[in-house]
Amino acid sequence: DTVARMGGDEFTILLSNIGGSDAAAVVAKNIMKQIMLPFTLHGEELRLGSSIGISLYPDDGTNFSTLTRHADAAMYEAKDAGRGQYRFFSNEMDSSVHEHLSLERDLRRALENGEFYLVFQPQVNVHDNRVVHCEALTRWKHPERGLVPPDKFIPIAETTGLISEIGDWIIHESCRIISHWRDTLTTLPTVSINLSAQQFRQESLVDKILAILADYNVDATAVEFEITETAAMENAESTMERLSRLTEKGFSIAIDDFGTGYSSLSYLKRFPVNKLKLDRSFVMDIQTDPNDAAISSAIIQMANSLGLEIVAEGVETVEQRDFLAAKGCSIMQGYLYSKPLESSDFLDYLINIRYGHTSEQN
Ligand code: C2E
Ligand code: CA
Ligand code: CA
């Protein structure tokens, strides 16, 4: 057996005469188990996680470079699947890795080339049609590929560490736009900014946010941060501390994609959060799937009794809206109201809604 460090945090393990894939899986599991064992460094107990990709000779390649490339592809799949996973190479992975690598390369240049922009999606109170908040969503206009969806590039930005710079830009750009909107409208909806798990882990996050807001003379009450349920629960104690530091400064916090992760209800009660966002996957089939209907109404009830605001995501039809409203959810975000809009279109939307609203009342 040979173990070699290929660079960074990547290692290659060569097992000869391993037999079949079953034996390789056993070895992979054992290695992951050993790596996971806690160890002490300067008095701190630490744990490491690992992801393993496996390629087998001769099926997955007959030379070293093909075998390592394919093991690498499998490792990316394992990483995407979450911590502590291993994956065997399959042919579909090859093309997805090529794509991943080329996006990664382009992503590095996207920021300096000015290829990102923000769009805003209203969150509307069903009872009076007021736009109470809006969510800032990032768009990447790739020079050749066109729009690359955030579901595709945010995870790459996360694993490469680029999210730190991109995330800073998102906060800057949101503030710049808020201060621009202020020239036209005196009262604005709060702007909700997504924080990725990686960003949320940064020690300097709160100070950085405060510095950016100060640059644009934007008040903490003008923005809100969304963090996914999964990211929040990852390390509940440190989440608690980070969230407290944000709320102490006056920021609102929303738990995103609520219902898709595993929340501890006792944490949920203790976290200083202001709102939950009911995930789109429940709203989507609320009319047809009794389970989704039951989960949605349970989450709405829970939020209401914990005194948390609840926003339903992905509301596309009047039926969905009416069902959710009847269950006690008043704030909706979805195509029924509007798709995410570019800054100037969003400003027009706000002006129209307000105008339409007052003329309706008169
Ligand atoms: P998310 O935070 O859950 O954002 C909501 C997504 O649902 C957005 O997709 C939005 O366009 C979409 N959506 C809203 N209403 C409807 C609807 O009625 N029907 C349908 N089919 N879709 C609807 P988008 O903009 O593609 O973003 C996808 C995900 O990418 C986001 O999910 C978020 O996790 C991530 N993301 C987007 N922008 C950012 C960002 O600036 N920072 C971070 N960290 N993540 C972002
Ligand atoms: Ca969000
Ligand atoms: Ca969401």
Side-chain angles (χ1 to χ4, degrees), residues 283-295:
V283 175
M284 207 153 56
D285 297 324
I286 219 165
Q287 295 303 119
T288 48
D289 185 334
N291 286 326
D292 287 349
I295 292 171

Side-chain angles (χ1 to χ4, degrees), residues 135 194 226 256 277 313:
E135 178 172 7
N194 291 283
E226 296 188 9
D256 205 356
K277 297 191 77 183
E313 291 184 322

Side-chain angles (χ1 to χ4, degrees), residues 227 243 247 253-255 268 270-276 307-308:
I227 146 169
L243 292 183
T247 47
I253 308 290
I255 302 288
L268 194 61
R270 285 169 56 207
F271 281 162
V273 299
N274 310 77
K275 82 181 188 197
L276 303 182
L308 300 172

Side-chain angles (χ1 to χ4, degrees), residues 249-262:
K249 301 290 178 192
F251 297 104
S252 290
I253 308 290
I255 302 288
D256 205 356
D257 302 345
F258 192 79
T260 59
Y262 302 91

